CSV table of all heavy atoms in Angstrom, one decimal:
chain,number,residue,atom,x,y,z
B,59,GLU,N,16.4,-43.8,-182.6
B,59,GLU,CA,17.1,-44.2,-181.5
B,59,GLU,C,16.4,-45.3,-180.6
B,59,GLU,O,17.0,-46.1,-180.0
B,59,GLU,CB,17.4,-43.0,-180.5
B,59,GLU,CG,18.2,-41.9,-181.2
B,59,GLU,CD,18.1,-40.6,-180.3
B,59,GLU,OE1,19.0,-40.5,-179.4
B,59,GLU,OE2,17.3,-39.7,-180.5
B,60,VAL,N,15.1,-45.1,-180.5
B,60,VAL,CA,14.3,-46.0,-179.6
B,60,VAL,C,13.1,-46.6,-180.4
B,60,VAL,O,11.9,-46.3,-180.0
B,60,VAL,CB,13.9,-45.2,-178.4
B,60,VAL,CG1,15.0,-45.0,-177.4
B,60,VAL,CG2,13.2,-43.9,-178.7
B,61,PRO,N,13.3,-47.4,-181.3
B,61,PRO,CA,12.1,-47.9,-182.2
B,61,PRO,C,11.3,-49.1,-181.6
B,61,PRO,O,10.2,-49.3,-182.0
B,61,PRO,CB,12.9,-48.4,-183.4
B,61,PRO,CG,14.2,-48.9,-182.9
B,61,PRO,CD,14.6,-47.9,-181.8
B,62,ASN,N,11.9,-49.8,-180.6
B,62,ASN,CA,11.2,-51.0,-180.1
B,62,ASN,C,9.9,-50.7,-179.5
B,62,ASN,O,9.7,-49.8,-178.7
B,62,ASN,CB,12.1,-51.7,-179.1
B,62,ASN,CG,13.4,-52.2,-179.7
B,62,ASN,OD1,13.5,-52.4,-180.9
B,62,ASN,ND2,14.4,-52.4,-178.9
B,63,GLY,N,8.9,-51.5,-179.9
B,63,GLY,CA,7.5,-51.4,-179.4
B,63,GLY,C,6.6,-50.5,-180.3
B,63,GLY,O,5.5,-50.3,-180.0
B,64,TYR,N,7.2,-49.9,-181.3
B,64,TYR,CA,6.5,-49.0,-182.2
B,64,TYR,C,6.6,-49.4,-183.7
B,64,TYR,O,7.7,-49.8,-184.1
B,64,TYR,CB,7.0,-47.6,-182.1
B,64,TYR,CG,7.1,-47.0,-180.7
B,64,TYR,CD1,8.3,-47.1,-180.0
B,64,TYR,CD2,6.0,-46.4,-180.1
B,64,TYR,CE1,8.4,-46.6,-178.7
B,64,TYR,CE2,6.1,-45.9,-178.8
B,64,TYR,CZ,7.3,-46.0,-178.1
B,64,TYR,OH,7.4,-45.5,-176.8
B,65,ASN,N,5.5,-49.2,-184.4
B,65,ASN,CA,5.5,-49.4,-185.8
B,65,ASN,C,5.1,-48.1,-186.5
B,65,ASN,O,4.2,-47.4,-186.0
B,65,ASN,CB,4.6,-50.5,-186.3
B,65,ASN,CG,5.2,-51.9,-186.1
B,65,ASN,OD1,6.4,-52.0,-185.7
B,65,ASN,ND2,4.5,-52.9,-186.3
B,66,VAL,N,5.6,-47.9,-187.7
B,66,VAL,CA,5.1,-46.8,-188.5
B,66,VAL,C,4.9,-47.2,-190.0
B,66,VAL,O,5.5,-48.2,-190.4
B,66,VAL,CB,6.1,-45.6,-188.5
B,66,VAL,CG1,6.2,-45.0,-187.1
B,66,VAL,CG2,7.5,-46.0,-189.0
B,67,SER,N,4.2,-46.4,-190.7
B,67,SER,CA,4.1,-46.6,-192.1
B,67,SER,C,3.8,-45.2,-192.7
B,67,SER,O,3.4,-44.3,-192.0
B,67,SER,CB,2.9,-47.5,-192.5
B,67,SER,OG,1.7,-47.0,-192.0
B,68,ARG,N,4.1,-45.0,-194.0
B,68,ARG,CA,3.9,-43.7,-194.6
B,68,ARG,C,3.3,-44.0,-196.0
B,68,ARG,O,4.0,-44.1,-197.0
B,68,ARG,CB,5.3,-43.0,-194.8
B,68,ARG,CG,5.2,-41.6,-195.3
B,68,ARG,CD,5.2,-40.6,-194.3
B,68,ARG,NE,5.1,-39.2,-194.8
B,68,ARG,CZ,6.1,-38.5,-195.1
B,68,ARG,NH1,7.4,-39.0,-195.0
B,68,ARG,NH2,6.0,-37.3,-195.6
B,69,SER,N,2.0,-44.1,-196.1
B,69,SER,CA,1.4,-44.4,-197.3
B,69,SER,C,1.1,-43.1,-198.1
B,69,SER,O,0.9,-43.2,-199.4
B,69,SER,CB,0.1,-45.2,-197.1
B,69,SER,OG,-0.8,-44.4,-196.2
B,70,THR,N,1.0,-42.0,-197.5
B,70,THR,CA,0.8,-40.7,-198.2
B,70,THR,C,1.9,-39.7,-197.6
B,70,THR,O,2.4,-39.9,-196.6
B,70,THR,CB,-0.6,-40.1,-197.9
B,70,THR,OG1,-0.7,-39.8,-196.5
B,70,THR,CG2,-1.6,-41.1,-198.3
B,71,THR,N,2.1,-38.6,-198.4
B,71,THR,CA,3.0,-37.6,-197.9
B,71,THR,C,2.5,-36.9,-196.7
B,71,THR,O,3.2,-36.5,-195.8
B,71,THR,CB,3.1,-36.5,-199.0
B,71,THR,OG1,3.7,-37.1,-200.2
B,71,THR,CG2,4.1,-35.4,-198.6
B,72,GLU,N,1.1,-36.8,-196.5
B,72,GLU,CA,0.5,-36.0,-195.4
B,72,GLU,C,0.5,-36.7,-194.1
B,72,GLU,O,0.6,-36.1,-193.1
B,72,GLU,CB,-0.9,-35.7,-195.8
B,72,GLU,CG,-1.1,-34.7,-197.0
B,72,GLU,CD,-0.9,-35.4,-198.3
B,72,GLU,OE1,-1.0,-36.7,-198.4
B,72,GLU,OE2,-0.6,-34.8,-199.3
B,73,ASP,N,0.4,-38.1,-194.1
B,73,ASP,CA,0.2,-38.8,-192.8
B,73,ASP,C,1.3,-39.7,-192.4
B,73,ASP,O,1.9,-40.4,-193.3
B,73,ASP,CB,-1.1,-39.6,-193.0
B,73,ASP,CG,-2.3,-38.8,-193.3
B,73,ASP,OD1,-2.6,-37.9,-192.5
B,73,ASP,OD2,-2.9,-39.0,-194.4
B,74,PHE,N,1.6,-39.7,-191.1
B,74,PHE,CA,2.6,-40.6,-190.6
B,74,PHE,C,2.2,-41.1,-189.2
B,74,PHE,O,2.6,-40.6,-188.2
B,74,PHE,CB,3.9,-39.8,-190.5
B,74,PHE,CG,5.2,-40.6,-190.2
B,74,PHE,CD1,5.4,-41.8,-190.8
B,74,PHE,CD2,6.1,-40.1,-189.3
B,74,PHE,CE1,6.5,-42.5,-190.6
B,74,PHE,CE2,7.3,-40.9,-189.0
B,74,PHE,CZ,7.5,-42.1,-189.7
B,75,PRO,N,1.3,-42.1,-189.2
B,75,PRO,CA,0.8,-42.7,-187.9
B,75,PRO,C,1.9,-43.5,-187.2
B,75,PRO,O,2.7,-44.2,-187.8
B,75,PRO,CB,-0.4,-43.5,-188.4
B,75,PRO,CG,-0.1,-43.9,-189.8
B,75,PRO,CD,0.7,-42.8,-190.4
B,76,LEU,N,1.8,-43.5,-185.9
B,76,LEU,CA,2.7,-44.3,-185.0
B,76,LEU,C,1.8,-45.3,-184.3
B,76,LEU,O,0.8,-44.9,-183.6
B,76,LEU,CB,3.3,-43.3,-184.0
B,76,LEU,CG,4.3,-44.0,-183.0
B,76,LEU,CD1,5.5,-44.5,-183.7
B,76,LEU,CD2,4.6,-43.1,-181.8
B,77,ARG,N,2.1,-46.6,-184.4
B,77,ARG,CA,1.3,-47.6,-183.8
B,77,ARG,C,2.0,-48.2,-182.6
B,77,ARG,O,3.2,-48.6,-182.7
B,77,ARG,CB,1.0,-48.7,-184.8
B,77,ARG,CG,-0.2,-48.3,-185.8
B,77,ARG,CD,-0.5,-49.4,-186.7
B,77,ARG,NE,0.6,-49.5,-187.7
B,77,ARG,CZ,0.6,-48.8,-188.9
B,77,ARG,NH1,-0.3,-47.9,-189.1
B,77,ARG,NH2,1.6,-49.0,-189.7
B,78,LEU,N,1.3,-48.4,-181.5
B,78,LEU,CA,1.8,-49.1,-180.4
B,78,LEU,C,1.0,-50.5,-180.4
B,78,LEU,O,-0.2,-50.5,-180.3
B,78,LEU,CB,1.5,-48.4,-179.1
B,78,LEU,CG,2.4,-47.2,-178.7
B,78,LEU,CD1,2.1,-46.0,-179.6
B,78,LEU,CD2,2.2,-46.9,-177.2
B,79,LEU,N,1.7,-51.6,-180.6
B,79,LEU,CA,1.0,-52.8,-180.8
B,79,LEU,C,0.5,-53.4,-179.5
B,79,LEU,O,-0.5,-54.0,-179.4
B,79,LEU,CB,2.0,-53.8,-181.5
B,79,LEU,CG,2.4,-53.4,-182.9
B,79,LEU,CD1,3.4,-54.4,-183.5
B,79,LEU,CD2,1.3,-53.1,-183.8
Side-chain angles (χ1 to χ4, degrees):
Chain B
E59 303 169 83
V60 287
N62 293 340
Y64 308 95
N65 278 356
V66 293
S67 60
R68 184 99 179 268
S69 56
T70 67
T71 299
E72 295 78 19
D73 300 300
F74 191 43
L76 178 71
R77 282 183 287 276
L78 284 71
L79 300 179

